[in-house]
Amino acid sequence: MRFRTIQVHPVFCGKVHVYSDFDGTYCPERHSVMHNPVQNPQMLKYCKKMDDFFKSTENDIDFSVTTGRTFGEFEAVSWLLKLRNYRLPLPKSVIVKNGSDEYIKQGTDRDFYDNGVFPYSYQNTSKEKENKIKFLTNWDGEKIQEHIKSAAKKLCLKFVEAESENSVKDYGDKSLFSKGKLNPFEWSKMPYNEEGFLQHENPIVDFELGSRNDGKLKVNLVFPPDYDYCPFRHYVYDTCVNDIKSYLHDNNINYFQSWEVANRKNHFRKSLTITPKIDDKELTKVFDTKEAVADAIKNNNLVIVAGDGSNDFEMLNPLEYISKQEWEQYAANTSCPEFFYGDMRKKLRDLRHLYKGYDTEYINDLRNELTENGFLEKLEEMPLVGIVVKKGNSNLQKLVDTFSRSGKIIEVENGQLDEGIKRAIRNYMNINNNFKIDMTENLRKIVESN
């Protein structure tokens, strides 16, 4: 790794930043399975292997976890790892809840595994990220959350906060459904028949509003099970929601909202998620990796993203890293408008056929155009490589099928993230000689070794 000096700021070149999903990608075993060490005999060996790998690449690879878990859920599984003596190396930072707050590591792995000092805290977040999102959307998480509590208080709603909506078995008192918080069986008080719950006039269940702690950059509110079955209840909670939306509107906050329908899994409680709106979409994992890729372009570095689930799709899709302005420029004089103006499914399908060598008039025309206008070269040279962990019936397979031939996506078996990282770096070395030159001799030896 070389570094160049621009004015007084050193710029490090030839470095790699890895963003990995946690469950099923970096941590190869399910949370529930780790309660019983007999069910995961390979975890000790895996943790030792990853520890050796990251220690050997310590000055060359920055490693962040980007997870669908909340901070509290990540902390809970970390303590479970410690309890089982699975000394899985802890990342430089943890980005929670699919693109929400980024928590910066303060201590060392030894502090945690030997002395029980968890190296992340609610106070130590990336202010740079928070300020960037505030600049783009006017989102101020602390003020928004204060207003939500105030809106609930005005309606005499009991405001219940916790780290997870998942099981008490896995998360104890961090669960919204632990003792003294929301009752998971509240729905059983409601009238119902074989067709489902029945409409009723008088509220039956408790007047509560649940809040899962998604960090300062996201809000998740959990409503009672009779929200849609009692008119008065509907009026009260809609009043609360409208109060919150009015606050967001009055403060010119650009936000995105989505509802999760009530079902047995969520104890028949619908929920509302509110996030900053970035590029007309909700805040997701791809926000952080886009920022990293933009930085990598400036500094001749590489970004590697890894995942195994649907919440990793955007982050793994190279097309998401092409800006709206660039799409418009490519489309300006196109003879293949159906590609540029088609949805993402259409774009991926066309590129899949292109890379597979389909010989049709449309694909041949598209291949010629994307070659001549530099689109394919841009994809190839983009400092991004994705790693998909194999998983049965995964919707990530379409990314593998589309981009594996170009080297932008590679596929690995569960528990082989380190090998995937090496392959990803080798892929990029082969197309970017300047990056290869800027790499340290140590990193080059590691990735070229079998």
Side-chain angles (χ1 to χ4, degrees):
M1 174 185 64
R2 297 189 302 170
F3 70 90
R4 305 169 188 148
T5 301
I6 300 177
Q7 296 177 350
V8 296
H9 303 289
V11 178
F12 294 91
C13 308
K15 282 182 68 81
V16 179
H17 199 145
V18 178
Y19 289 83
S20 174
D21 174 57
F22 187 74
D23 295 274
T25 305
Y26 181 47
C27 183
E29 296 290 356
R30 299 189 312 276
H31 189 157
S32 58
V33 171
M34 285 191 292
H35 285 288
N36 183 0
V38 175
Q39 293 181 266
N40 45 79
Q42 299 301 315
M43 271 296 287
L44 286 172
K45 183 178 179 181
Y46 173 78
C47 292
K48 177 66 166 59
K49 178 180 70 165
M50 295 307 297
D51 188 49
D52 290 343
F53 175 70
F54 283 125
K55 282 179 178 175
S56 69
T57 61
E58 186 173 17
N59 297 315
D60 299 304
I61 294 180
D62 285 336
F63 178 61
S64 294
V65 157
T66 178
T67 177
R69 289 176 175 271
T70 64
F71 178 89
E73 289 171 337
F74 179 77
E75 183 179 14
V77 77
S78 298
W79 282 102
L80 180 57
L81 289 167
K82 172 178 162 51
L83 179 65
R84 299 303 179 204
N85 199 32
Y86 298 146
R87 300 173 73 100
L88 188 65
L90 297 173
K92 179 181 178 180
S93 70
V94 180
I95 302 162
V96 301
K97 214 57 200 169
N98 297 316
S100 187
D101 297 26
E102 180 175 13
Y103 297 92
I104 311 300
K105 187 178 181 181
Q106 294 173 295
T108 66
D109 290 4
R110 180 173 292 182
D111 289 336
F112 178 58
Y113 289 118
D114 291 343
N115 302 316
V117 180
F118 192 57
Y120 311 93
S121 73
Y122 282 113
Q123 290 70 41
N124 198 34
T125 56
S126 171
K127 304 307 177 189
E128 181 181 356
K129 177 178 180 178
E130 292 166 20
N131 290 336
K132 179 69 178 289
I133 289 176
K134 185 174 183 179
F135 174 79
L136 292 171
T137 67
N138 284 329
W139 182 279
D140 186 321
E142 291 182 355
K143 290 183 178 179
I144 291 170
Q145 290 168 1
E146 285 174 7
H147 183 82
I148 291 171
K149 292 178 182 179
S150 173
K153 186 175 182 179
K154 280 188 284 186
L155 294 165
C156 299
L157 300 177
K158 179 183 177 183
F159 194 73
V160 181
E161 298 178 271
E163 304 298 323
S164 175
E165 83 282 19
N166 292 316
S167 73
V168 176
K169 176 185 175 183
D170 285 334
Y171 298 106
D173 61 6
K174 292 181 183 293
S175 171
L176 267 170
F177 298 99
S178 58
K179 187 175 180 179
K181 297 188 176 74
L182 302 181
N183 179 2
F185 305 108
E186 195 81 347
W187 58 269
S188 64
K189 299 177 181 178
M190 294 166 52
Y192 62 94
N193 58 25
E194 64 276 3
E195 296 181 356
F197 295 115
L198 303 176
Q199 292 286 329
H200 50 280
E201 289 297 322
N202 297 318
I204 298 172
V205 303
D206 290 338
F207 273 91
E208 299 172 318
L209 180 63
S211 175
R212 184 184 65 205
N213 188 351
D214 283 8
K216 287 182 283 188
L217 296 176
K218 291 193 176 184
V219 170
N220 180 268
L221 301 176
V222 180
F223 296 88
D226 66 348
Y227 185 110
D228 290 323
Y229 300 95
C230 175
F232 179 68
R233 176 80 62 166
H234 203 286
Y235 166 77
V236 169
Y237 284 92
D238 277 0
T239 300
C240 183
V241 170
N242 290 334
D243 186 334
I244 296 166
K245 290 181 179 178
S246 294
Y247 173 84
L248 298 172
H249 181 268
D250 292 345
N251 287 276
N252 297 313
I253 296 168
N254 199 14
Y255 71 95
F256 181 95
Q257 67 170 33
S258 60
W259 289 88
E260 180 183 0
V261 299
N263 55 53
R264 183 170 293 277
K265 183 179 178 182
N266 57 30
H267 309 291
F268 301 104
R269 293 171 179 265
K270 69 189 302 182
S271 61
L272 171 65
T273 296
I274 304 172
T275 81
K277 184 189 283 188
I278 309 290
D279 295 331
D280 292 323
K281 298 179 181 178
E282 65 181 312
L283 179 65
T284 66
K285 291 182 178 186
V286 79
F287 176 85
D288 303 279
T289 53
K290 274 186 177 179
E291 293 286 300
V293 167
D295 182 71
I297 291 171
K298 296 176 185 175
N299 299 318
N300 195 32
N301 293 328
L302 171 64
V303 175
I304 298 173
V305 294
D308 77 316
S310 58
N311 63 334
D312 302 311
F313 192 96
E314 273 191 323
M315 176 179 75
L316 286 159
N317 182 4
L319 299 185
E320 293 289 348
Y321 297 82
I322 299 175
S323 70
K324 181 180 179 181
Q325 293 75 17
E326 288 171 321
W327 280 112
E328 291 173 350
Q329 289 170 6
Y330 284 120
N333 298 304
T334 183
S335 59
C336 301
E338 54 267 64
F339 172 76
F340 287 103
Y341 296 108
D343 61 16
M344 188 58 72
R345 182 180 300 181
K346 166 70 172 170
K347 290 181 172 70
L348 290 172
R349 184 172 63 247
D350 287 352
L351 283 176
R352 184 159 60 249
H353 293 168
L354 184 155
Y355 284 124
K356 286 185 175 182
Y358 277 36
D359 187 16
T360 67
E361 182 179 357
Y362 168 66
I363 293 299
N364 287 334
D365 287 346
L366 182 65
R367 183 182 294 109
N368 290 335
E369 179 172 323
L370 299 188
T371 300
E372 291 174 5
N373 68 12
F375 183 90
L376 294 181
E377 183 180 17
K378 179 178 181 63
L379 280 181
E380 180 180 315
E381 294 181 350
M382 184 183 294
L384 174 82
V385 181
I387 300 171
V388 171
V389 177
K390 289 183 180 179
K391 186 178 180 181
N393 300 318
S394 171
N395 71 347
L396 299 181
Q397 190 61 43
K398 59 174 65 76
L399 293 178
V400 176
D401 293 342
T402 302
F403 294 109
S404 59
R405 287 172 175 78
S406 66
K408 302 309 293 181
I409 294 286
I410 61 178
E411 194 175 28
V412 299
E413 299 289 344
N414 182 270
Q416 295 296 319
L417 180 61
D418 57 327
E419 293 302 318
I421 293 171
K422 292 179 188 178
R423 284 175 54 193
I425 297 172
R426 285 198 298 270
N427 282 1
Y428 193 63
M429 285 169 51
N430 292 334
I431 63 171
N432 188 330
N433 192 56
N434 288 331
F435 175 77
K436 185 175 182 179
I437 292 171
D438 281 350
M439 289 170 59
T440 64
E441 187 64 26
N442 176 62
L443 183 59
R444 189 178 300 112
K445 287 180 179 178
I446 290 170
V447 301
E448 290 179 342
S449 65
N450 294 325

